[in-house]
Amino acid sequence: MTDQEKLVLLAGQSERKAELAAELPTLKERWNIVRDQVKSREQSLARETAEVEQLDDKTLSNLLYKVTGRMDQKRAAEEADVEAVKGYCEEARSEFEELSVRVAEMDAELRSLGNCDKDFEVLLEDMTRQALREGGALGRAVTEITARIQKNSAEAAALEELATLGKRLMRKTDEISDVLQRAWKEGHRHVRGLSGLSSEVVDTIVRRSQISDVLRSAEAQVPVLVELARAFQTDIIDLPPVGQLRILQNTFRGDHGESSVNQLELAMSEMESIRRTVERSVDKIERIQPLRADAADRAKRELIETLAQIQR
């Protein structure tokens, strides 16, 4: 077998291995679910069957059914329930058996492929280096294709990392928003109980209540939020400057001269705005990332085809 033939073979095997690796976890998860369904339905069948058998016991309820002439009706209903549960059991058992066979086949196929993906990458790299050394039209073509692979692969990886970072940032905004919401409720609870007092007195009492502890808890999380936001800044992200986020710390500390409750409402609004912006950005990233990954895959297939056509 020539290197060109081996390259094509390993490429196909590697692609199949990736498909199996992606599909098997979902299939095994379904296998576990159906296995539990079989167990649960078999237990239900055992209970239903026992209820039919108990109709022959000499109990007061059975005696009443016989005296009133409704025993046949009761037995027919119970037996119908048994048949229905039997049907559910058979359905689950059938699916479980099919899944068991499929999982075993895919596991065996995956094991049979061994390290084909690593062997493929090694051979591809060797043949690429050889083509680049030879230069000429082939070298130029390979240079251009590998540049596209590297560019799109790097962008796809960076976008995937950025999407993960964005989701962390959204979780952090949610955490802080939850704290602010609790503080806001606490503040309003105090305000409602202090009607008739001056705003200065109300604000002083509110500041001395549990709201201060909650605010400090929120403020402690802001530096993490700021760092996440700074890392999230890219050309395709439309976040406000990181410096603006530091206003939140002033909000928590009461540096605006606002009442505590008004400060909270301002901070809650700011967090909601950041959250919406980040969510839009993550959605945009997750639309772009697969396009970059697909472009890298197409370029890689083009490289394989180019190298496979070399005549030795």
Side-chain angles (χ1 to χ4, degrees):
M1 182 183 294
T2 65
D3 283 347
Q4 289 74 26
E5 292 171 336
K6 188 176 180 181
L7 181 68
V8 173
L9 175 63
L10 287 173
Q13 290 177 338
S14 298
E15 188 172 343
R16 178 56 180 163
K17 183 176 180 179
E19 291 173 356
L20 290 170
E23 186 179 347
L24 259 175
T26 302
L27 197 63
K28 288 182 177 179
E29 182 179 356
R30 178 61 186 169
W31 182 87
N32 286 324
I33 291 172
V34 176
R35 180 195 57 189
D36 292 342
Q37 286 179 347
V38 170
K39 182 178 179 180
S40 175
R41 292 178 186 183
E42 286 179 343
Q43 290 172 344
S44 296
L45 178 59
R47 287 193 299 269
E48 294 292 342
T49 302
E51 289 178 7
V52 172
E53 294 172 350
Q54 288 168 5
L55 292 176
D56 294 325
D57 295 343
K58 294 180 180 180
T59 63
L60 179 59
S61 59
N62 287 344
L63 179 60
L64 288 174
Y65 277 120
K66 288 178 180 178
V67 169
T68 57
R70 292 187 295 147
M71 177 55 78
D72 290 343
Q73 181 180 353
K74 172 65 174 175
R75 186 181 296 277
E78 293 290 350
E79 289 176 347
D81 287 342
V82 169
E83 291 303 314
V85 176
K86 276 184 180 178
Y88 294 140
C89 276
E90 289 304 318
E91 180 181 312
R93 286 172 186 153
S94 176
E95 184 179 0
F96 181 69
E97 289 172 2
E98 291 177 3
L99 286 169
S100 297
V101 171
R102 184 63 180 143
V103 167
E105 290 176 345
M106 292 177 68
D107 266 330
E109 184 180 1
L110 187 59
R111 287 194 300 271
S112 72
L113 291 171
N115 294 322
C116 64
D117 48 344
K118 294 180 181 178
D119 294 340
F120 164 68
E121 293 296 340
V122 169
L123 181 58
L124 179 64
E125 185 176 348
D126 287 344
M127 294 182 67
T128 299
R129 281 201 302 266
Q130 185 174 348
L132 292 174
R133 283 197 301 269
E134 292 181 2
L138 175 62
R140 289 191 296 273
V142 170
T143 298
E144 189 274 330
I145 296 171
T146 53
R148 278 190 281 127
I149 293 174
Q150 292 169 357
K151 177 178 181 296
N152 286 294
S153 295
E155 289 182 0
L159 288 169
E160 185 175 5
E161 183 177 348
L162 195 59
T164 300
L165 182 62
K167 290 173 184 177
R168 284 180 56 201
L169 180 54
M170 284 192 288
R171 287 195 296 271
K172 180 54 64 177
T173 61
D174 290 342
E175 289 174 14
I176 296 178
S177 293
D178 287 343
V179 173
L180 294 175
Q181 184 69 23
R182 290 199 303 273
W184 183 81
K185 289 179 180 179
E186 179 71 16
H188 270 277
R189 184 175 69 81
H190 280 80
V191 169
R192 284 197 303 271
L194 299 172
S195 57
L197 298 177
S198 69
S199 60
E200 291 81 4
V201 173
V202 170
D203 192 47
T204 299
I205 295 175
V206 169
R207 286 177 185 276
R208 291 176 179 175
S209 69
Q210 295 179 14
I211 189 173
S212 297
D213 295 334
V214 181
L215 284 172
R216 279 193 292 272
S217 175
E219 181 186 352
Q221 299 187 60
V222 172
V224 178
L225 177 72
V226 171
E227 289 306 311
L228 285 171
R230 178 182 288 110
F232 196 60
Q233 300 283 356
T234 69
D235 292 340
I236 64 172
I237 304 302
D238 185 26
L239 271 183
V242 171
Q244 290 186 19
L245 298 180
R246 297 192 182 280
I247 294 174
L248 285 172
Q249 290 177 309
N250 295 331
T251 300
F252 296 141
R253 293 167 183 160
D255 293 345
H256 294 301
E258 301 275 353
S259 73
S260 296
V261 173
N262 286 344
Q263 290 167 21
L264 283 170
E265 290 173 348
L266 176 63
M268 289 164 65
S269 175
E270 183 73 12
M271 294 307 303
E272 183 180 355
S273 174
I274 294 171
R275 203 336 177 140
R276 285 198 304 267
T277 301
V278 175
E279 187 172 16
R280 286 196 301 269
S281 299
V282 169
D283 287 343
K284 182 177 181 181
I285 291 167
E286 291 185 332
R287 289 195 302 270
I288 297 172
Q289 194 274 341
L291 300 178
R292 297 292 186 271
D294 185 60
D297 288 340
R298 288 199 309 272
K300 195 169 189 178
R301 287 194 293 271
E302 183 180 348
L303 177 61
I304 294 167
E305 293 172 0
T306 301
L307 295 173
Q309 294 171 6
I310 300 174
Q311 299 297 322
R312 298 297 184 194

